[in-house]
Amino acid sequence: MKFRLQIVIESATGEHTDLHEVACVEREELRSDTVGLTLEEAKAVLEGIQRRIVEEQTAAYLSAQTSCPHCGKQRHRKGEHAVTIRTLFGKFRLNSPRLYHCPCQPRVTQTFSPLAELLPERSTPELLYLETKWASLMSYGMTTNLLQEVLPIGKQLNAVTVRNHLHAVAERTEAELGDEQVFFIDSCPRDWANLPRPAGPLTVGLDGGYVHSCDKTSRKDGWFEVIAGKSMTAEGAAKCFAFVHRYDTKPKRRVFEVLKSQGMQMNQQVTFLSDGGDTVRQLQLYLNPQAEHLLDWFHVAMRVTVMTQMAKGLEGKDVAIQPAVLKELERSKWYLWHGNVYEACISIDNLELVLDNDDELTAKRRSLLKALRDFRVYITTNARLIPNYGERWRYGEAIATGFVESTVNQVISKRFVKKQQMKWSPRGAHLLLQMRTRVLNDELRQTFQQWYPGMQNDVEEFKAAA
Ligand SMILES: [Zn+2]
């Protein structure tokens, strides 16, 4: 059996039809490997159709350019050069004539290239979109391989091109982000009272991670810090955000826009939860009059759990102090649960006395003692961020964000941290993070559709037309 695939070109009025052969597929017997088109055939067919459509479109456009729209006189041709455009279904070299402007109108330049001016971007938005989307989730090289395998885009696409395209798209979104401000509270308390009743509280979890830097000279130890966070509404709808600390000049604006897109009002409760630390402590200031910043109970409890495990691992002569240590650890946790940092510190001091009362400390006892001292520093440094967790919990208020850990993993680890040999520039990492969070928030396609309304094509409408 033979299948001849043809394309019929109709003019706008329905007459003047043109028929073109695109491909011919032959099939003999039916087997699992001969049913339907193969990937290579499908790619060739798509490329053939695309070539024909692109050529027809550009020919029609250029023929409309040959005469002056004002007086109708023929424009003279100065020559032509080739313009290459990359589409999802092939890379095409198009002839782009250079024409003389008609002397009937005053002009700054003598000549112009209508096609080159019409298509200033040499890659179609949909191709840019797919490159950006996949490269934000996996390596530039893998993205190139994937797209080349499933689309007829040729071998010329390479990892560097994909990276440059992603950077350009990310820079465009960065340019659209408003300016940084110290204060994002733009109204006064009297106005807040008049606002509609806000939705339930927003909970924002913040965490950080370190990324290997390719730029050793300017960064300590060859690492730089990435902050990732997730904001969740009372209904559980979540959005994530991320930025490279010190590289990003608009971190507050970034977080503010995420919260605003989730409907944040100035009379709405916003709770920031983090593991403490200077980097994240400043972020929520002046974003919202109702914003509060708390130490995430998850991190507090985790540290106590680690010390409890260490205490349970004490052996030999240390077994004698084990019950006292476990009891006191439990007590300090109970005080912290109730926001009583003062009593928790007394409890930790007691523990220190119990642990440090021997001339010859065992290695395990020494490491527990060190963990305990670090913990004391941790809670005293963050004392102002420690609320009465028990009370908040009874009132159903947020005290922990177990979800942030997974966000950090999702946003940072897979591409940055796990592949230790991979090194990043702060700019490259920051731009990639912007695209990745946009993809994870399911917003990248929407962004492209705003820039290129043609990408909003309705599939149902397309099917109906056929
Ligand atoms: Zn003219």
Side-chain angles (χ1 to χ4, degrees):
M1 225 187 296
K2 229 182 204 180
F3 300 89
R4 298 159 73 88
L5 304 174
Q6 295 173 322
I7 180 164
V8 180
I9 303 166
E10 249 175 49
S11 69
T13 49
E15 62 224 22
H16 179 71
T17 48
D18 239 350
L19 194 68
H20 296 274
E21 186 102 354
V22 174
C24 184
V25 183
E26 276 186 64
R27 287 290 186 273
E28 297 304 328
E29 60 175 313
L30 176 66
R31 293 193 314 263
S32 62
D33 56 345
T34 60
V35 60
L37 295 176
T38 64
L39 179 59
E40 285 313 312
E41 285 165 349
K43 283 162 72 173
V45 168
L46 273 174
E47 207 262 354
I49 296 173
Q50 184 81 326
R51 178 181 299 279
R52 182 52 68 182
I53 294 179
V54 170
E55 281 172 0
E56 291 291 328
Q57 281 181 297
T58 49
Y61 174 74
L62 287 173
S63 86
Q65 301 298 312
T66 51
S67 54
C68 170
H70 303 281
C71 68
K73 248 191 237 152
Q74 195 79 7
R75 281 166 169 158
H76 294 292
R77 195 182 249 255
K78 200 193 172 184
E80 64 175 25
H81 63 282
V83 161
T84 303
I85 65 157
R86 292 167 183 272
T87 77
L88 275 184
F89 310 118
K91 177 178 163 182
F92 306 106
R93 270 168 73 86
L94 306 169
N95 284 335
S96 167
R98 180 165 282 280
L99 304 174
Y100 282 101
H101 282 296
C102 179
C104 77
Q105 301 285 320
R107 291 288 181 175
V108 183
T109 55
Q110 262 202 322
T111 62
F112 72 115
S113 296
L115 191 64
E117 282 167 30
L118 184 77
L119 305 170
E121 292 160 87
R122 297 295 190 253
S123 293
T124 58
E126 256 192 321
L127 178 58
L128 281 181
Y129 165 73
L130 279 191
E131 288 176 11
T132 305
K133 175 176 173 176
W134 290 106
S136 80
L137 300 171
M138 59 193 190
S139 75
Y140 295 118
M142 295 252 287
T143 302
T144 311
N145 291 344
L146 170 75
L147 294 179
Q148 271 169 350
E149 182 150 10
V150 299
L151 295 169
I153 49 175
K155 290 280 165 212
Q156 293 93 338
L157 186 71
N158 61 55
V160 175
T161 310
V162 172
R163 189 194 64 196
N164 291 344
H165 285 169
L166 179 138
H167 284 181
V169 171
E171 293 280 19
R172 188 167 171 184
T173 65
E174 287 292 272
E176 288 181 355
L177 185 67
D179 291 335
E180 184 68 327
Q181 289 168 208
V182 176
F183 292 92
F184 281 92
I185 301 167
D186 56 359
S187 49
C188 69
R190 204 180 44 222
D191 301 331
W192 307 334
N194 295 329
L195 286 170
R197 228 177 95 89
L202 285 167
T203 308
V204 185
L206 297 166
D207 209 346
Y210 283 86
V211 172
H212 222 171
S213 172
C214 62
D215 176 13
K216 272 217 172 105
T217 48
S218 67
R219 307 275 158 178
K220 269 196 300 196
D221 309 314
W223 296 86
F224 58 86
E225 192 178 11
V226 170
I227 305 294
K230 194 169 200 170
S231 163
M232 209 182 259
T233 67
E235 292 75 38
K239 280 192 184 185
C240 58
F241 55 87
F243 54 88
V244 171
H245 180 52
R246 286 186 217 285
Y247 172 81
D248 188 13
T249 54
K250 313 178 188 178
K252 270 188 191 194
R253 166 64 74 175
R254 198 174 302 287
V255 178
F256 177 77
E257 292 298 336
V258 170
L259 299 181
K260 207 173 82 177
S261 76
Q262 292 182 303
M264 179 182 73
Q265 295 182 181
M266 284 296 147
N267 59 348
Q268 187 169 7
Q269 186 74 41
V270 185
T271 305
F272 286 80
L273 292 158
S274 77
D275 192 14
D278 295 332
T279 316
V280 293
R281 212 172 294 153
Q282 301 300 317
L283 196 62
Q284 94 293 353
L285 286 175
Y286 315 118
L287 274 182
N288 182 304
Q290 314 291 327
E292 57 179 351
H293 189 175
L294 309 178
L295 200 59
D296 193 324
W297 174 252
F298 173 81
H299 293 293
V300 180
M302 185 56 91
R303 282 164 205 252
V304 178
T305 304
V306 168
M307 288 188 292
T308 304
Q309 290 306 320
M310 292 169 91
K312 282 181 181 164
L314 290 176
E315 49 197 13
K317 60 175 182 171
D318 293 341
V319 171
I321 59 162
Q322 209 175 36
V325 171
L326 288 170
K327 198 175 161 202
E328 203 62 48
L329 273 174
E330 196 52 41
R331 196 195 303 256
S332 63
K333 185 178 173 184
W334 190 86
Y335 281 128
L336 288 170
W337 175 250
H338 290 97
N340 195 334
V341 177
Y342 177 77
E343 289 291 347
C345 283
I346 293 177
S347 174
I348 291 168
D349 292 343
N350 290 341
L351 256 174
E352 218 180 307
L353 288 176
V354 173
L355 283 167
D356 202 9
N357 71 347
D358 208 327
D359 294 336
E360 295 259 326
L361 295 185
T362 60
K364 285 188 172 177
R365 197 154 151 179
R366 267 204 308 274
S367 41
L368 176 55
L369 196 56
K370 181 179 182 306
L372 189 71
R373 286 173 178 153
D374 289 346
F375 185 60
R376 197 186 194 287
V377 172
Y378 176 70
I379 61 167
T380 46
T381 315
N382 292 299
R384 282 192 303 163
L385 310 182
I386 296 177
N388 186 332
Y389 294 104
E391 193 177 273
R392 289 182 64 91
W393 187 73
R394 280 197 300 281
Y395 285 105
E397 294 174 336
I399 56 168
T401 57
F403 62 79
V404 182
E405 282 250 308
S406 65
T407 305
V408 172
N409 273 327
Q410 209 179 7
V411 172
I412 308 173
S413 300
K414 276 193 197 117
R415 264 192 70 186
F416 294 100
V417 183
K418 299 261 167 67
K419 287 169 92 180
Q420 297 278 334
Q421 74 277 20
M422 188 75 188
K423 292 184 179 177
W424 294 86
S425 72
R427 173 177 176 266
H430 180 77
L431 294 177
L432 180 62
L433 285 169
Q434 300 323 308
M435 292 301 95
R436 170 168 300 172
T437 49
R438 222 167 258 248
V439 169
L440 295 176
N441 292 341
D442 210 5
E443 292 171 332
L444 186 66
R445 191 161 180 96
Q446 199 188 325
T447 303
F448 269 84
Q449 286 175 338
Q450 278 161 7
W451 293 341
Y452 308 99
M455 275 181 72
Q456 287 171 2
N457 277 348
D458 188 346
V459 178
E460 293 309 315
E461 211 173 278
F462 167 71
K463 282 183 190 156

